[in-house]
């Protein structure tokens, strides 16, 4: 179950990473990100933020995969701790998506974040 959860987490987080990269490239999906504060294309500072977020999310995937023993790494001890940071941030992200003023962000991203939180928690508890 742990390895499957890590794979599911990775698939879902990859979708979010690709979404962030699309925002960074100027795809006009701003109404379903950041509370809909930037409808259409993100302004340049937010595009940079989207790239940073994509990188952070990719690190989250790496942490989960290492913790689940899908990837071998000398960072396993660090991943044992870092996975709890991932769980906490996915939990916070869930709350933030529940209260966002953007209806479509709630509809699209809340289920995704529920999956990410659940899978990261399963991996962390394993």
């Amino acid at each position: 179950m742990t390895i499957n959860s890590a794979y599911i987490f990775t698939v879902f987080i990859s979708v979010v990473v690709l979404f962030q990269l699309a925002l960074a490239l100027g795809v006009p999906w701003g109404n379903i990100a950041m509370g809909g504060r930037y409808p259409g294309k993100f302004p340049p500072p937010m595009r940079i933020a989207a790239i940073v977020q994509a990188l952070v999310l990719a690190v989250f995937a790496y942490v989960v995969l290492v913790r689940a023993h899908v990837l071998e790494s000398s960072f396993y001890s660090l991943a044992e701790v870092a996975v709890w940071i991932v769980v906490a941030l996915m939990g916070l992200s869930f709350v933030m998506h529940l209260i966002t003023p953007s209806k479509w962000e709630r509809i699209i991203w809340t289920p995704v974040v529920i999956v990410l939180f659940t899978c990261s928690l399963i991996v962390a508890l394993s």
Side-chain angles (χ1 to χ4, degrees):
M1 183 151 184
T2 302
I3 291 175
N4 288 338
S5 294
Y7 284 134
I8 293 167
F9 181 92
T10 302
V11 167
F12 275 73
I13 205 95
S14 295
V15 169
V16 182
V17 167
L18 291 173
F19 174 76
Q20 291 296 325
L21 292 175
L23 289 172
L25 291 172
V27 176
W29 292 338
N31 62 318
I32 57 174
M34 300 300 292
R37 249 177 274 146
Y38 305 97
K41 294 180 180 182
F42 268 10
M46 292 309 299
R47 289 184 187 193
I48 293 167
I51 292 169
V52 171
Q53 188 167 354
L55 292 171
V56 169
L57 295 172
V59 170
F60 287 1
Y62 179 75
V63 166
V64 168
L65 290 169
V66 169
R67 175 63 180 90
H69 295 288
V70 173
L71 296 177
E72 294 300 320
S73 173
S74 59
F75 297 111
Y76 182 79
S77 296
L78 180 60
E80 286 184 303
V81 175
V83 74
W84 288 105
I85 296 169
V86 174
V87 171
L89 290 173
M90 290 299 108
L92 178 61
S93 182
F94 170 66
V95 171
M96 296 305 290
H97 282 92
L98 284 177
I99 64 173
T100 181
S102 170
K103 172 187 166 188
W104 287 108
E105 190 174 353
R106 278 191 311 275
I107 290 169
I108 294 168
W109 296 116
T110 301
V112 171
V113 175
I114 290 170
V115 171
L116 292 169
F117 173 75
T118 303
C119 289
S120 63
L121 182 61
I122 290 169
V123 170
L125 291 171
S126 66

